Amino acid sequence: SIYNGEPESPILGNAESIKKLRIQIQKLSRSQAPVYISGESGVGKELVARQIHACGPRADGPFVAINCGAIPSELMESEFFGHVKGAFTGANEARKGLFQSAQGGSLFLDEIGEMPVSMQAKLLRVLQEKEITRLGSSGVVPVDVRIIVATNKNLGEETAKSNFREDLYYRLLGLPIHLPPLCERGNDILILAKHFLDTFCLENKFPRKTLTAEAKDKLMFYRFPGNVRELKAVIELAAVMADGIQITPTD
């Protein structure tokens, strides 16, 4: 959707913070420097990362996303850098890691605050040297990858607690973006609700449904601790529960 002459973007909303965000994305996408996206869980950090990739010169390359908190620490090095056959028990064949999979494109590291300190040191080296070493190999592999990271933690505080490396923190901080919580975006709640409702009805071959004025009021007065992710879930459930084409506060 296009708002007030801004570049086209899938990031919906008319809040001033979102208008500025869309312009910021257009500017940051021109660079190859790492991008650091912060904000509460559910605000849409991966959507922003994908848009930065799509607007930049790497748009034709791969976009690879990984949640750092979902990888067991003992598998993290192999997951990121890959391994050669026989590198460890069970390594029956060579395997590319995330960096090689994202070659020529962007690698999105979600919840980077969950990455172990030992792995942070290895990531810093890759950012500095632009090369990786696969597990079980002594040779280096050049990598050309743009790094985009996101976290719902305050990395400055994590650095002060020695939970996050200071040198990596400053390496990643070059191009920061902060996403506001949904409750601070005013009427964007209704813009997003309509979008989610229309999309859900279309995908599920439901008749088009609308929100009553009372249902809209209920949404506007709710704080949405789960942010945009929660709003999407609430709207989709309401679309299923509503008997008619109008969604009420009860739904």
Side-chain angles (χ1 to χ4, degrees), residues 20-22 25-26 29 38 44 54 62 112-114 136 180 199 214:
K20 291 177 181 176
L21 172 66
R22 287 195 287 264
I25 287 171
Q26 290 290 328
S29 63
S38 61
I112 194 169
E114 303 296 329
T199 301
E214 294 79 12

Side-chain angles (χ1 to χ4, degrees), residues 4 12 38 84 121 134 144 155 171 186 206 222 241:
N4 301 326
L12 304 179
S38 61
V84 298
R134 292 188 295 168
D144 174 25
L155 284 190
R171 181 82 184 192
F206 285 5
Y222 182 60
M241 299 304 294

Side-chain angles (χ1 to χ4, degrees), residues 214-227:
E214 294 79 12
K216 291 178 181 179
D217 287 343
K218 188 168 186 177
L219 291 175
M220 289 295 291
F221 283 103
Y222 182 60
R223 296 290 295 173
F224 286 102
N227 292 294

Side-chain angles (χ1 to χ4, degrees), residues 220-238:
M220 289 295 291
F221 283 103
Y222 182 60
R223 296 290 295 173
F224 286 102
N227 292 294
V228 179
R229 184 185 293 126
E230 182 183 7
L231 173 62
K232 184 174 186 289
V234 165
I235 290 298
E236 291 179 351
L237 178 59

Side-chain angles (χ1 to χ4, degrees), residues 22 31 40 121 136 208 214:
R22 287 195 287 264
S31 165
E40 295 178 4
R208 188 180 179 189
E214 294 79 12

